Amino acid sequence: MSSTFSMDPGADQLAVRDWLHGFAADVMRPAAAEWDEREETPWPVIQEAAKLGIYSLDFYAQQYFDPSGVGIPIAMEELFWGDAGIGLSIVGTTLAAVAVLANGTDEQIGTWTPQMFGTPEDVRVAAFCSSEPDAGSDVSALRTRAVYDEARDEWVLDGAKTWATNGGIAAVHVVVATVDPELGAKGQASFVVPPGTPGLSQGQKFKKHGIRASHTAEVVLDGVRVPGGCLLGGKEKLDERLARAREGVSRQGGRGNAAMATFEASRPAVGAQAIGIARAAYEVALDYAKTREQFGRPIIDNQGVAFQLADMRTRIDAARLLVWRASWMAVGNRPFTAAEGSMSKLYAGETAKYVTAQAMQILGGNGFTREYPVERMHRDSAIYSIFEGTSEIQRLVIARAISGMPIR
Ligand SMILES: Cc1cc2nc3c(=O)[nH]c(=O)nc-3n(C[C@H](O)[C@H](O)[C@H](O)COP(=O)(O)OP(=O)(O)OC[C@H]3O[C@@H](n4cnc5c(N)ncnc54)[C@H](O)[C@@H]3O)c2cc1C
């Protein structure tokens, strides 16, 4: 046996966890209710995070390349324990950054990722725009077109994106568009739209059920011209890929597999966010159950309540194990033969919804009011069975992976 197995995060990971926990407890938690009510991007909190180095490319790169694999899940769990809406405002930029890291050339990564974060003095955010009104779960149905203007070596983008986190307020937008609609998902490519590019505008900003501090909006692309160098990965690579797709040649380990591996590697991070919300609600409920008295004794004295808490904690720990396993697999390039990344996001998302609902129940009437944070946490948890692939889509991916069948 060559490898060792350990469930202990190392000293480095624990130090990061404690540092982030302090920020989550001292800065995010006290601000959570206010920004939820305001339904606005909490720029002062992002600025504070930037000053401390929590909102920075360096910080996420360090966690991303942490050899244990659990750097990102630990960071996500702590920040979202603080507050999910503010948490998403802080980490939303990484969605776009990961798209550039996964598809861009070294030069593109070096040019665009720093601009996504800005500086502590001049903080910026970025947006990843894939979803469209008629293309949510079915990403192959995107209608936004990218047409190459050879004379000017420019790409022209036209279309309408929706549900974009930071859409319209971002410095850098990453837009997925179709170059050849007949090829479905294989005919798509990703483009960087640099700051201030004419033709890109914000459409409707959505009023949401939860994560209300995070900005979600439509993005309109009307004759948006970007330089040829904004096509992620470059034109040569795109032309080769399109030619293969037109010939019906699917290279083993080609783009489909690469995209799948990227999703499997990124989904655990989203699962970790859900775990942060669940843990926060569970802790409030546990404290409450120990101190709230009815019938002359703390309500936790009733097995009916204590068993609820036991189930909540068990599911949280099980979800975290799935998330850590998938993150460990990703960092070691282990193949996700059973879609273990999707499994972790599915289970963690459903756990957050279950735990926050149980927490509200344990708090009784108080749980239903905004005097206590579980009401907000319950609303925030609902997105975790919707974005980054709905729970049904995760099940579809898992079912296909374990069966090898084209389940529909
Ligand atoms: C707050 C928020 C932030 C978001 N941020 C971003 C972002 O930054 N960038 C971005 O590109 N997108 C973003 N999204 C979009 C998000 O990823 C989509 O909402 C999600 O993929 C679902 O798409 P849809 O809303 O069109 O639902 P639909 O695809 O219309 O699904 C509706 C229902 O049908 C079910 N369904 C669909 N197909 C199947 C199937 N084959 N089998 C079983 N059930 C199925 C779904 O599971 C769901 O329950 C965000 C969404 C929200 C709400």
Side-chain angles (χ1 to χ4, degrees):
M1 299 285 278
S2 58
S3 65
T4 55
F5 182 79
S6 169
M7 292 302 300
D8 288 326
D12 288 354
Q13 288 103 29
L14 291 177
V16 169
R17 185 194 66 185
D18 293 348
W19 177 51
L20 293 181
H21 189 79
F23 179 77
D26 299 342
V27 180
M28 296 173 79
R29 272 284 172 94
E34 179 192 339
W35 292 102
D36 174 60
E37 287 296 334
R38 287 173 67 162
E39 301 195 43
E40 286 170 12
T41 301
W43 287 107
V45 186
I46 304 177
Q47 271 152 7
E48 185 68 20
K51 272 191 214 140
L52 295 170
I54 291 169
Y55 183 72
S56 77
L57 179 61
D58 277 0
F59 174 69
Y60 290 103
Q62 269 170 27
Q63 303 319 310
Y64 190 76
F65 293 111
D66 173 42
S68 74
V70 296
I72 288 284
I74 285 176
M76 293 292 176
E77 182 176 332
E78 287 317 310
L79 291 175
F80 283 70
W81 174 92
D83 180 59
I86 298 177
L88 197 63
S89 297
I90 292 176
V91 308
T93 295
T94 60
L95 266 181
V98 166
V100 174
L101 284 172
N103 302 303
T105 61
D106 287 349
E107 195 187 337
Q108 288 170 329
I109 293 168
T111 304
W112 298 113
T113 50
Q115 295 194 44
M116 291 179 168
F117 288 86
T119 63
E121 295 72 41
D122 184 16
V123 165
R124 301 294 172 97
V125 293
F128 175 69
C129 311
S130 171
S131 302
E132 295 181 3
D134 294 323
S137 298
D138 182 6
V139 287
S140 67
L142 296 186
R143 288 198 195 146
T144 295
R145 282 299 307 264
V147 175
Y148 187 54
D149 178 346
E150 198 160 1
R152 292 167 65 173
D153 182 27
E154 286 178 346
W155 286 91
V156 187
L157 307 176
D158 280 287
K161 294 291 177 183
T162 193
W163 308 121
T165 299
N166 296 335
I169 61 166
V172 176
H173 291 74
V174 175
V175 172
V176 187
T178 179
V179 179
D180 184 340
E182 285 181 14
L183 297 177
K186 288 182 178 156
Q188 295 168 0
S190 300
F191 300 84
V192 168
V193 180
T197 304
L200 184 149
S201 61
Q202 183 185 307
Q204 179 191 181
K205 177 187 168 185
F206 294 103
K207 288 183 83 66
K208 305 195 297 296
H209 174 69
I211 53 164
R212 299 197 306 183
S214 168
H215 172 105
T216 315
E218 296 169 337
V219 172
V220 180
L221 301 145
D222 183 10
V224 172
R225 286 186 164 267
V226 297
C230 287
L231 163 65
L232 289 176
K235 184 139 189 324
E236 206 174 308
K237 222 167 138 190
L238 173 69
D239 287 342
E240 281 172 21
R241 182 156 61 76
L242 294 179
R244 277 199 309 274
R246 284 183 193 118
E247 286 163 19
V249 181
S250 152
R251 200 174 57 174
Q252 190 126 41
R255 194 168 191 263
N257 288 349
M260 178 78 183
T262 306
F263 276 133
E264 288 302 315
S266 64
R267 283 182 174 152
V270 181
Q273 298 171 3
I275 294 169
I277 303 172
R279 196 184 100 214
Y282 155 78
E283 287 174 4
V284 174
L286 179 62
D287 276 354
Y288 192 88
K290 285 180 178 171
T291 50
R292 169 72 175 168
E293 294 196 1
Q294 286 295 277
F295 302 99
R297 58 202 166 99
I299 57 170
I300 199 169
D301 266 9
N302 302 290
Q303 275 193 2
V305 175
F307 282 12
Q308 272 181 312
L309 286 156
D311 282 347
M312 289 155 75
R313 176 61 191 266
T314 303
R315 290 207 201 180
I316 291 169
D317 282 15
R320 187 183 297 108
L321 287 175
L322 284 175
V323 163
W324 284 17
R325 175 181 71 165
S327 306
W328 168 81
M329 291 175 72
V331 83
N333 287 321
R334 292 169 177 87
F336 291 99
T337 50
E340 290 87 345
S342 296
M343 264 186 214
S344 73
K345 194 267 174 180
L346 168 65
Y347 193 75
E350 294 296 330
T351 294
K353 287 172 65 173
Y354 162 80
V355 168
T356 55
Q358 294 296 97
M360 279 217 303
Q361 189 64 20
I362 289 172
L363 267 71
N366 281 330
F368 199 62
T369 71
R370 296 197 181 172
E371 297 298 309
Y372 283 79
V374 292
E375 180 271 344
R376 185 181 67 251
M377 292 164 184
H378 181 249
R379 284 187 286 108
D380 290 346
S381 72
I383 191 63
Y384 284 86
S385 63
I386 298 174
F387 70 5
E388 287 285 310
T390 65
S391 285
E392 291 73 27
I393 294 302
Q394 310 299 335
R395 291 188 179 99
L396 196 66
V397 173
I398 298 163
R400 283 178 183 160
I402 60 176
S403 68
M405 306 279 287
I407 315 254
R408 285 149 58 85

